[in-house]
Amino acid sequence: MIGGQPIFILKEGTKRESGRDAMQDNIEAAKAIATSIRSTLGPRGMDKMLVDSLGDIVITNDGVTILKEMDIEHPAAKMMVEVSKTQDSYVGDGTTTAVIIAGALLEQAQALVNQNVHPTVITEGYRMADEYARKVLDEISIKINPDDKDKLIKMAMTSLNSKSAGVFKDKLAELSYQAIKAIAEERDGKYYVDFDNLQMVKKQGGSVDETQLIDGIIIDKEKVHPGMPSTVENAKIALLDLALEVKKPEFDTNLQINDPRMIQKFLDQEEGILKEMVDKIQKTGANVVITQKGIDDMAQHYLAKAGIYAVRRVKKSDVDKLAKATGAAIVSSLDEMTEADLGKADKVEQVKIGDDYMTFVTGAKNPKAVSILIRGETDHVVDEIERSITDSLHVVAAAVEDAAYVTGGGSAAEEIAFRLRTYASKVGGRQQLAIERFADALEEIPRALAENAGLDPIDILIKIRSEHAAGHTKYGLNVFTGEVEDMEKANVIEPIRVGKQAIDSATDAAVMILRIDDVIATKSSSSKSPSPNPGEGAGED
């Protein structure tokens, strides 16, 4: 105010919340997101049905998929979605766990703020607790050899148990292990998994039991001419980034023909160009041609006559995978193509899957390239199987790369909580309150598992706490029996990376939201009332 007159700094229509009101609003929004997916946690969790504006349906209990499909507007709630995305991209599993912990941390912080504990003190305590939690996970983790098939399959099963695909966990876990084993590479004594070497192809129809691992690359295309061979042994593959067609001029042209014989001459010339193209390919010794672009009908005829298997309009991503798998160079000019540019594979064949034909390139030069063909009765089933397999693949990959695992069923979370309370008393000060609340937040995991399994969460927490106080660090909740027992004996294990990243991501999100004391939201252009005069308001930002 100057001289009794208000000064407007922000644009008209801007909404602003400050101080505790802004913090409370952000916390409530974030808690609402955590609550929305809480019921999906664990093997007894429920599924969500998401319907978009076009009427497309997604049925899943995968945390990140649910949050991606939800049309979320609140900025703090969007930050919770980022937590799940980070967890998914870095680990591939534990997305629901990360969001639940983040929501619980904010709920515990809210109670401290209401007791006049400053948010900065809370964030300091949370950071200390996060660092200590990582140390605890390292201490209680168990080393694993990348060749330990039994343990790795059990980890994949633990991941699949919480999905609707858990019915097929035996087959899918074995498949996940075999796929990761095929593409894992050892460098300087450590293993690395490059998912670019793994292709996933979905095909609706058939049973989930028909899902299989293919030692090679699958192209969702059929041969272009029925006269071509359906199977090629000892394949020499030419990968092309060009069309086997007569080039069309880039500008309008008119061709005047006065003599009917010129028409035939013109057609013969086109045919000669196409035959020359095929001759160049045949001269290199190639017996399989795969191109990203088109193949003219006449070129198809000559390729079939030469006994060459050809596929057209293949996705660039598939061509790149083929290049890596077969050792072929992607050629842009036939004049420069040589035998050295060809890739090698034991077999290229056309296989009928359901009602469609697909091309299988197997026994490739680089054995580190494999594909998973996913089958299912409906599109919704196939999509959910893909999400489930993706999670289990990432779990096995994380275990192979980190060579360490911890027990699940809330046992790791409870052990961290138990040790944090002892650590808090040593820290002292107001940070002690935040560290203790951090411990309480981690106990939301066994609590949610118990609730989703229809058990009394208080009774379960008391039992788990007493077991950990007695030094039983691996004890957690077996949701199938309803008992608190040794999770390693119950085969409930997970890579250490899942827990570490979940706690880190949740802590970062909670700290970021707690440090916000002012929310300024400008009015969106779409919310402005339309002007009665079409020219009015022109040039407005």
Side-chain angles (χ1 to χ4, degrees), residues 259-396:
D259 187 342
R261 287 174 296 180
M262 290 179 67
I263 297 175
Q264 188 60 44
K265 193 173 182 181
F266 180 75
L267 294 173
D268 289 345
Q269 187 177 7
E270 275 199 349
E271 187 177 326
I273 293 171
L274 294 170
K275 187 175 187 310
E276 186 182 354
M277 286 182 174
V278 175
D279 288 342
K280 286 177 182 177
I281 293 170
Q282 195 175 6
K283 190 177 178 181
T284 64
N287 51 16
V288 175
V289 172
I290 296 171
T291 179
Q292 297 179 42
K293 298 181 180 174
I295 300 177
D296 187 274
D297 289 350
M298 186 57 66
Q300 292 177 26
H301 164 73
Y302 283 121
L303 287 166
K305 199 172 177 182
I308 297 173
Y309 185 106
V311 183
R312 64 180 171 181
R313 297 194 176 91
V314 178
K315 291 186 295 184
K316 185 180 185 305
S317 59
D318 288 348
V319 171
D320 289 341
K321 282 187 173 67
L322 279 165
K324 196 169 186 179
T326 63
I330 301 173
V331 177
S332 300
S333 170
L334 290 178
D335 293 329
E336 297 173 6
M337 188 170 73
T338 65
E339 187 178 355
D341 294 323
L342 303 181
K344 292 183 174 64
D346 291 344
K347 186 192 289 186
V348 173
E349 63 179 329
Q350 179 172 277
V351 180
K352 188 173 185 180
I353 304 293
D355 295 329
D356 302 317
Y357 286 97
M358 305 174 86
T359 298
F360 283 42
V361 181
T362 55
K365 178 182 175 182
N366 174 17
K368 297 291 181 188
V370 296
S371 302
I372 296 175
L373 177 63
I374 301 170
R375 305 298 306 279
E377 291 81 357
T378 66
D379 286 336
H380 296 134
V381 171
V382 171
D383 289 342
E384 184 63 4
I385 294 297
E386 182 192 26
R387 286 188 284 268
S388 302
I389 291 178
T390 300
D391 284 2
S392 65
L393 286 167
H394 279 85
V395 161
V396 177

Side-chain angles (χ1 to χ4, degrees), residues 140-374:
I140 64 174
S141 67
I142 304 156
K143 295 299 177 185
I144 184 174
N145 189 307
D147 295 325
D148 193 340
K149 178 179 178 180
D150 185 51
K151 293 289 185 194
L152 292 172
I153 286 179
K154 284 174 181 174
M155 277 185 232
M157 285 186 178
T158 300
S159 173
L160 291 164
N161 260 332
S162 60
K163 310 283 191 289
S164 56
V167 180
F168 308 99
K169 65 181 180 181
D170 292 334
K171 179 181 179 62
L172 299 182
E174 173 73 29
L175 186 147
S176 299
Y177 167 76
Q178 295 294 348
I180 297 301
K181 183 183 177 185
I183 65 175
E185 298 178 49
E186 187 179 3
R187 297 180 217 142
D188 301 325
K190 283 196 70 177
Y191 282 86
Y192 298 89
V193 177
D194 183 359
F195 278 94
D196 285 342
N197 290 333
L198 177 65
Q199 181 192 35
M200 297 180 75
V201 178
K202 300 183 291 183
K203 208 66 182 174
Q204 181 262 338
S207 166
V208 178
D209 283 328
E210 294 175 39
T211 299
Q212 58 183 302
L213 181 70
I214 306 298
D215 178 24
I217 303 296
I218 303 171
I219 304 169
D220 194 6
K221 299 281 183 181
E222 61 183 312
K223 60 183 181 181
V224 293
H225 193 282
M228 291 175 177
S230 296
T231 303
V232 177
E233 303 280 354
N234 297 317
K236 294 179 180 177
I237 304 166
L239 297 182
L240 307 180
D241 183 19
L242 56 91
L244 296 180
E245 298 169 342
V246 176
K247 282 187 178 179
K248 302 292 188 291
E250 295 179 5
F251 45 86
D252 290 338
T253 55
N254 290 319
L255 186 66
Q256 291 185 346
I257 296 176
N258 301 319
D259 187 342
R261 287 174 296 180
M262 290 179 67
I263 297 175
Q264 188 60 44
K265 193 173 182 181
F266 180 75
L267 294 173
D268 289 345
Q269 187 177 7
E270 275 199 349
E271 187 177 326
I273 293 171
L274 294 170
K275 187 175 187 310
E276 186 182 354
M277 286 182 174
V278 175
D279 288 342
K280 286 177 182 177
I281 293 170
Q282 195 175 6
K283 190 177 178 181
T284 64
N287 51 16
V288 175
V289 172
I290 296 171
T291 179
Q292 297 179 42
K293 298 181 180 174
I295 300 177
D296 187 274
D297 289 350
M298 186 57 66
Q300 292 177 26
H301 164 73
Y302 283 121
L303 287 166
K305 199 172 177 182
I308 297 173
Y309 185 106
V311 183
R312 64 180 171 181
R313 297 194 176 91
V314 178
K315 291 186 295 184
K316 185 180 185 305
S317 59
D318 288 348
V319 171
D320 289 341
K321 282 187 173 67
L322 279 165
K324 196 169 186 179
T326 63
I330 301 173
V331 177
S332 300
S333 170
L334 290 178
D335 293 329
E336 297 173 6
M337 188 170 73
T338 65
E339 187 178 355
D341 294 323
L342 303 181
K344 292 183 174 64
D346 291 344
K347 186 192 289 186
V348 173
E349 63 179 329
Q350 179 172 277
V351 180
K352 188 173 185 180
I353 304 293
D355 295 329
D356 302 317
Y357 286 97
M358 305 174 86
T359 298
F360 283 42
V361 181
T362 55
K365 178 182 175 182
N366 174 17
K368 297 291 181 188
V370 296
S371 302
I372 296 175
L373 177 63
I374 301 170

